Amino acid sequence: MPDGPANFPGWQLAQVNIARMVAPLDSPVMAGFVAKLDELNALADRSPGFVWRFQDDTGNATYLRPYADDRIIFNLSVWESPDRLKAYVYRTGHADMIRQRQQWFEPGAAANMALWWIPAGTRPTVDEAKARLEHLRQHGPSAHAFGFRSIIPPAP
């Protein structure tokens, strides 16, 4: 699949991911993760292909709790293409965080990330992101929600 916004003109890729922390965010166990948040957000913001990320007044979404479980953290962003998102996730300083994730997050039994196409210039909502992730968990990959292993092109 070719990289970049010309891949699917008129479309951008939304992504949501969640993780359950091993301890509350303000605990000493989570200090290493919290210390890197601003750096990772700045890295995402300047990464090729980055379009937008959900954030509150603090500049991130770490304190948003859209689930009843207050140890689940939530991330929502938009990218030009799957390849650009993969490059950020796996070929930048973010990859170091992935390698260390067991220090801060419980292993997930179900899908913890979903991708879907949105018309360029639109922004996904928190509720939409939650619904897409749940759909992927319940039904597997489809045009409605998929993961990196099964990228489905947008419907014409």
Side-chain angles (χ1 to χ4, degrees):
M1 179 181 300
D3 188 23
N7 191 0
F8 297 111
W11 295 96
Q12 293 174 327
L13 186 73
Q15 79 79 34
V16 62
N17 68 76
I18 63 171
R20 187 166 196 277
M21 299 177 288
V22 296
L25 194 61
D26 60 356
S27 74
V29 173
M30 297 301 296
F33 172 76
V34 171
K36 295 204 178 255
L37 280 176
D38 288 342
E39 175 186 334
L40 287 176
N41 287 332
L43 178 61
D45 291 350
R46 67 178 182 266
S47 290
F50 172 82
V51 176
W52 171 88
R53 67 182 167 86
F54 180 84
Q55 55 187 306
D56 61 19
D57 293 339
T58 67
N60 64 60
T62 309
Y63 294 94
L64 173 71
R65 295 293 181 267
Y67 292 92
D69 183 342
D70 68 355
R71 288 196 6 222
I72 294 178
I73 61 170
F74 177 90
N75 178 275
L76 176 62
S77 62
V78 175
W79 294 79
E80 291 176 351
S81 73
D83 290 336
R84 296 285 173 101
L85 174 56
K86 280 184 191 178
Y88 166 71
V89 171
Y90 298 116
R91 294 192 298 268
T92 68
H94 185 273
D96 293 335
M97 296 293 281
I98 291 173
R99 285 188 285 277
Q100 298 173 48
R101 70 179 167 242
Q102 72 281 357
Q103 295 177 34
W104 305 304
F105 302 104
E106 295 178 358
N112 65 351
M113 182 189 78
L115 307 171
W116 70 100
W117 296 103
I118 60 173
T122 63
R123 300 294 174 253
T125 67
V126 170
D127 289 339
E128 176 186 11
K130 288 175 59 178
R132 298 281 182 152
L133 180 58
E134 187 58 29
H135 188 274
L136 178 60
R137 288 176 164 187
Q138 295 293 322
H139 305 287
S142 69
H144 192 71
F146 50 89
F148 279 140
R149 291 186 182 148
S150 57
I151 294 172
I152 298 170

